[in-house]
Amino acid sequence: MPRQLVKTHIALIGCVCLCLLGYLSWFESQAQQAAAQTAQLDFDSPSSLAVVVNKNRPLADPAYVPAELHDAGGVLLRPEAAGAFSRLNADAAAAGVGITAVSGYRTAADQAHIHDSYTASYGPETADGISARAGYSEHQTGLAMDIGNADGSCALEACFEATPAGAWAAANAHRYGFVVRYPDGAAPVTGFAYEPWHLRFVGTELAAKLHRSGQTLEQFAGLPPAPNY
């Protein structure tokens, strides 16, 4: 092989190596930046937009009540979530999709009543798979809500996913700071069956990250799965 060609090959290999090193350095920097951002989030305080509440993580204060609650289409939510839902609802309506607020903030007593009702109707095992016990519910934070179609079709059922409201929310809710908190197939992690109607407000930045990655809050926060109490 001519000497000049050898030099050219060596130069090309050197360029590739430098590019690879540059990419690895950038990738490491991005990973460190993401880890730092995650570390800054508060997954524990009931008042935090990023709080993770599940079967292994009850509210720090079982009697927690948000400092402020606003009306959001007939249900109560924290001001940030209420404002975001108002914008989401208006934009959905402009797109020809009617979305209604079915449930929002619940007191611990409200949640206990709902869970007891499910237990009486379906038994404790089924009740625990579809309803949180008092003190373990996101609804008590004022950041979670259940939504429905204006005509009531597929209300609180998995078929809600394929309805106009369900499809629009799945595709767009993250733009307003909401995520579908209990995705299909994630019950071993979240502890709850698929609920395409259950939206959780986390803020637009975190919602965008969760939407892109397909992760649950538990996975993003690096927390263990919570399939059971």
Side-chain angles (χ1 to χ4, degrees), residues 35-99:
Q37 290 174 346
T38 301
Q40 292 173 1
L41 293 172
D42 180 359
F43 299 112
D44 302 317
S45 303
S47 60
S48 169
L49 296 184
V51 63
V52 180
V53 183
N54 59 34
K55 293 177 179 179
N56 290 341
R57 293 172 58 85
L59 288 164
D61 176 6
Y64 172 74
V65 177
E68 191 175 357
L69 292 165
H70 288 187
D71 178 75
V75 305
L76 295 177
L77 292 174
R78 289 258 304 270
E80 308 94 318
F85 177 69
S86 178
R87 294 188 293 275
L88 178 156
N89 201 23
D91 289 348
V97 178
I99 296 179

Side-chain angles (χ1 to χ4, degrees), residues 136-147:
Y136 292 81
S137 174
E138 286 194 327
H139 281 281
Q140 194 175 337
T141 67
L143 297 171
M145 70 182 305
D146 297 333
I147 61 171

Side-chain angles (χ1 to χ4, degrees), residues 12-220:
L12 287 173
I13 292 171
C15 287
V16 170
C17 289
L18 286 173
C19 289
L20 182 59
L21 286 172
Y23 171 77
L24 291 174
S25 176
W26 174 85
F27 184 81
E28 183 179 4
S29 173
Q30 291 296 108
Q32 290 175 344
Q33 187 176 34
Q37 290 174 346
T38 301
Q40 292 173 1
L41 293 172
D42 180 359
F43 299 112
D44 302 317
S45 303
S47 60
S48 169
L49 296 184
V51 63
V52 180
V53 183
N54 59 34
K55 293 177 179 179
N56 290 341
R57 293 172 58 85
L59 288 164
D61 176 6
Y64 172 74
V65 177
E68 191 175 357
L69 292 165
H70 288 187
D71 178 75
V75 305
L76 295 177
L77 292 174
R78 289 258 304 270
E80 308 94 318
F85 177 69
S86 178
R87 294 188 293 275
L88 178 156
N89 201 23
D91 289 348
V97 178
I99 296 179
T100 60
V102 175
S103 179
Y105 167 72
R106 297 176 191 154
T107 65
D110 290 338
Q111 191 64 37
H113 176 74
I114 290 172
H115 189 269
D116 289 346
S117 176
Y118 280 133
T119 300
S121 298
Y122 308 113
E125 185 175 348
T126 298
D128 279 343
I130 61 176
S131 173
R133 298 177 185 177
Y136 292 81
S137 174
E138 286 194 327
H139 281 281
Q140 194 175 337
T141 67
L143 297 171
M145 70 182 305
D146 297 333
I147 61 171
N149 285 282
D151 63 3
S153 59
C154 287
L156 305 182
E157 297 181 58
C159 61
F160 178 74
E161 172 190 41
T163 66
W168 197 92
N172 297 286
H174 66 283
R175 306 179 192 279
Y176 305 87
F178 290 94
V179 294
V180 175
R181 177 67 174 93
Y182 305 124
D184 193 14
V189 176
T190 65
F192 291 101
Y194 179 37
E195 293 190 1
W197 62 86
H198 181 100
L199 301 184
R200 163 63 194 277
F201 184 77
V202 295
T204 53
E205 185 175 348
L206 179 52
K209 292 177 181 178
L210 293 173
H211 183 76
R212 283 196 304 267
S213 68
Q215 292 178 303
T216 64
L217 262 177
E218 286 84 1
Q219 292 166 329
F220 180 84

